[in-house]
Each structure stands twice: as structure tokens, then as C-alpha cells.
């Protein structure tokens, strides 16, 4: 038996498993953005070449589904159309909605460039849910896909009222936490807005879009007889020393349940 001083001591590897998973996830996101940009450039260049070849108006061309490029997508981007998912029933619809939430994990080490590439905010205590407004109604679903609330809201296509600013076929998907004490949905991320996908957008852009667009709808107003629940945003900080201190110590209108970090 080897003497005690020759035993292999416990030592953390230079790159932890969590850091490796973060890097792989960021690489996939970057590749997805490049693929989307390349597809858009190809489409734009083909349109421009058609216009140069046919200066006169030409009839519209229909593209067959088989000719469109296929690419693999994760559970967040696959079958994105919420209107198609709403036709599912029973366990299938619960499973589909349960796969749409991005679930966090405990931060067990300090990431590289924490103060440059990360954001932080105080997580509201409550039920994590996905909120979908479509076809004149709003539905919130918990992490397991079961319905939490079914209600009208001021979100686009969230109630049977005329919305002059958008199409009746548009829909919105929000990542929220329902805070029971004040009956408020605190929006921590925006997934889709008026049918426009934000899956491949950066966190910085999604936070900016969320704060600028949500207030325009009136969904952040106080509850009324028709709109039972209100929506609200959370203050987001840069993940430097001042931002961490503000997220941890500053008062917010909800009960805190730890801190959430976004890359």
C-alpha cells in the first residue's frame, strides 16, 4: 500500500464540466446565428439576381417545401409555431410546452469574463412558467406543461379585442415567474414577439426588446376588471461588482429567490 503522502490529492481540473458545457452551448448558438444569417443572405442575393435578370414584373414563384434547406434544431427551435402546438392534446401538448423552458443550473464556479459577458438579476419567488398569447387568449403553463392560468391579457393577440398594431394571427411567448403575493407575472425573458422569433438573439437584445415593447402594450398596467393579472419586468444589471451588489441588496417589489445569471 502506498504511503499517505503519495496518495493522489483531490484537485479540480483546469476547465470544469460546467465551463465546458457553457462553451459548447455558446458555440452552438453562434453557429445557429451564422446559419440564419447565411440563409438570409442567400435569399436576398437570389432575389436581387432575379430582379436583375427580369427587370419587368414577374409572377410570384412558389417554393416547394422539399427545396428548403433542412437543419437540425434543438427543442427550443423545433416546431416553433405555437398555433400548431395548440392543436396537440393531452400528454403531447404538456410535453411540448415543458420542453420550451430553458432550465438554469447552479453556478458552481466563476465563468471567464463574468463582468463582461454576463447579466444578473434577483429572481422573483414563485412558479416558473411559459406564457403564450395567441388567437385572442393568454395561457400560462408550468414547467411540467400543465396549465396554470387561462385569461385575457393586454399582450398582442392576448384578448378578444381589436389590436390595430398587429396581425390577428401573431403570437407572443414569454418566459415568466408568477408571483402569487401580488398576482403578477414577472417576465425574465422574451422568446417570441408578434410572431418574430428571438431564440437566436443575444440576451442584451432580448432584455432591451422586452423592456421597450412590453410597456407599449399596457400589459404592465394595474389589474382591472377585464385584465386580472399584470406583467412586469425585473431590473437587470451588468455582472460586475456594482451590478452584483445592486441585484443582491436593492429593494424590489417582489420576494427574492436567489440570483439569476444570463450570458
Amino acid at each position: 500500500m502506498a504511503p499517505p503522502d503519495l496518495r493522489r490529492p483531490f484537485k479540480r481540473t483546469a476547465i470544469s464540466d460546467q465551463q465546458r458545457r457553457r462553451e459548447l452551448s455558446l458555440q452552438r448558438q453562434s453557429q445557429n446565428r451564422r446559419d440564419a444569417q447565411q440563409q438570409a443572405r442567400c435569399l436576398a442575393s437570389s432575389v436581387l439576381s432575379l430582379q436583375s435578370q427580369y427587370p419587368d414584373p414577374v409572377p410570384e414563384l412558389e417554393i416547394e417545401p422539399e427545396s428548403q434547406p433542412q437543419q437540425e434544431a434543438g427543442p427550443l427551435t423545433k416546431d416553433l409555431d405555437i398555433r400548431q402546438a395548440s392543436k396537440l392534446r393531452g400528454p403531447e401538448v404538456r410535453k411540448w410546452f415543458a420542453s420550451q423552458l430553458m432550465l438554469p443550473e447552479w453556478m458552481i464556479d466563476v465563468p471567464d469574463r463574468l463582468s463582461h459577458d454576463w447579466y444578473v438579476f434577483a429572481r422573483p419567488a414563485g412558479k416558473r412558467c411559459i406564457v403564450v398569447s395567441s388567437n385572442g387568449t393568454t395561457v400560462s403553463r408550468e414547467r411540467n406543461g400543465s396549465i396554470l392560468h387561462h385569461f385575457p391579457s393586454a399582450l398582442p393577440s392576448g384578448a378578444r379585442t381589436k389590436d390595430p398594431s398587429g396581425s390577428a394571427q401573431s403570437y407572443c411567448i414569454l418566459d415568466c415567474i408568477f408571483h402569487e403575493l401580488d398576482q403578477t407575472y414577472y417576465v425574465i425573458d422574451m422568446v417570441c414577439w408578434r410572431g418574430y422569433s428571438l431564440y437566436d438573439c443575444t440576451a442584451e437584445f432580448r432584455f432591451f426588446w422586452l423592456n421597450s415593447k412590453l410597456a407599449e402594450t399596457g400589459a404592465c398596467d394595474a389589474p382591472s376588471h377585464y385584465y386580472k393579472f399584470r406583467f412586469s419586468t425585473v431590473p437587470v444589471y451588468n455582472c460586475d461588482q456594482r451590478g452584483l451588489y445592486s441585484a443582491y441588496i436593492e429593494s424590489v417589489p417582489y420576494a427574492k429567490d436567489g440570483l439569476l445569471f444570463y450570458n
Side-chain angles (χ1 to χ4, degrees):
M1 185 173 66
D5 56 334
L6 295 180
R7 292 177 181 175
R8 183 175 182 271
F10 173 81
K11 183 178 180 182
R12 179 176 294 178
T13 57
I15 301 178
S16 67
D17 292 338
Q18 190 177 49
Q19 177 68 19
R20 188 176 292 105
R21 288 197 302 273
R22 281 194 296 261
E23 292 176 354
L24 291 175
S25 177
L26 290 174
Q27 290 175 6
R28 287 194 299 268
Q29 292 177 5
S30 178
Q31 184 61 45
N32 289 338
R33 293 193 189 101
R34 287 195 295 267
D35 292 343
Q37 292 172 357
Q38 180 64 24
Q39 185 174 354
R41 282 194 292 266
C42 291
L43 179 61
S45 61
S46 63
V47 171
L48 292 175
S49 63
L50 284 174
Q51 289 178 349
S52 61
Q53 294 176 10
Y54 303 98
D56 296 329
V58 296
E60 249 183 18
L61 299 177
E62 292 187 0
I63 302 178
E64 294 295 330
E66 291 79 11
S67 64
Q68 297 178 353
Q70 301 291 327
Q71 62 182 24
E72 277 189 41
L76 289 178
T77 55
K78 190 176 182 180
D79 299 331
L80 182 61
D81 196 340
I82 198 70
R83 290 167 294 180
Q84 295 178 2
S86 63
K87 300 177 182 178
L88 300 174
R89 292 295 180 267
E92 291 183 350
V93 67
R94 289 193 295 270
K95 182 178 179 181
W96 189 90
F97 278 100
S99 67
Q100 302 306 302
L101 281 177
M102 179 179 61
L103 301 180
E105 62 178 4
W106 291 103
M107 183 178 287
I108 59 177
D109 58 8
V110 180
D112 296 335
R113 298 179 55 84
L114 178 66
S115 60
H116 297 85
D117 298 340
W118 291 76
Y119 296 91
V120 61
F121 59 86
R123 182 193 187 278
K127 297 180 179 180
R128 180 80 179 277
C129 57
I130 183 171
V131 177
V132 179
S133 63
S134 176
N135 296 324
T137 188
T138 305
V139 178
S140 61
R141 291 180 178 269
E142 299 184 59
R143 290 174 54 175
N144 60 2
S146 61
I147 294 179
L148 177 62
H149 294 129
H150 194 287
F151 59 101
S153 72
L155 297 174
S157 300
R160 297 190 179 280
T161 56
K162 187 176 181 181
D163 184 8
S165 60
S167 169
Q169 300 299 322
S170 65
Y171 55 89
C172 296
I173 306 176
L174 303 178
D175 190 350
C176 302
I177 295 176
F178 180 66
H179 192 252
E180 294 186 6
L181 295 178
D182 56 4
Q183 297 289 289
T184 300
Y185 282 94
Y186 286 95
V187 187
I188 62 174
D189 206 348
M190 179 179 285
V191 182
C192 277
W193 187 255
R194 295 190 185 277
Y196 175 71
S197 171
L198 301 173
Y199 280 111
D200 291 330
C201 297
T202 62
E204 180 182 13
F205 178 81
R206 296 199 310 272
F207 289 146
F208 166 76
W209 200 262
L210 169 62
N211 285 278
S212 60
K213 295 297 181 181
L214 191 64
E216 296 176 357
T217 63
C220 298
D221 297 343
S224 61
H225 177 71
Y226 189 59
Y227 298 134
K228 181 180 179 181
F229 303 106
R230 66 183 291 260
F231 291 82
S232 180
T233 58
V234 297
V236 181
Y237 306 94
N238 292 321
C239 202
D240 50 18
Q241 184 175 2
R242 178 180 297 180
L244 285 168
Y245 179 81
S246 300
Y248 185 79
I249 204 70
E250 285 191 0
S251 60
V252 288
Y254 53 82
K256 294 182 180 180
D257 185 19
L259 300 179
L260 269 180
F261 297 84
Y262 272 69
N263 185 287

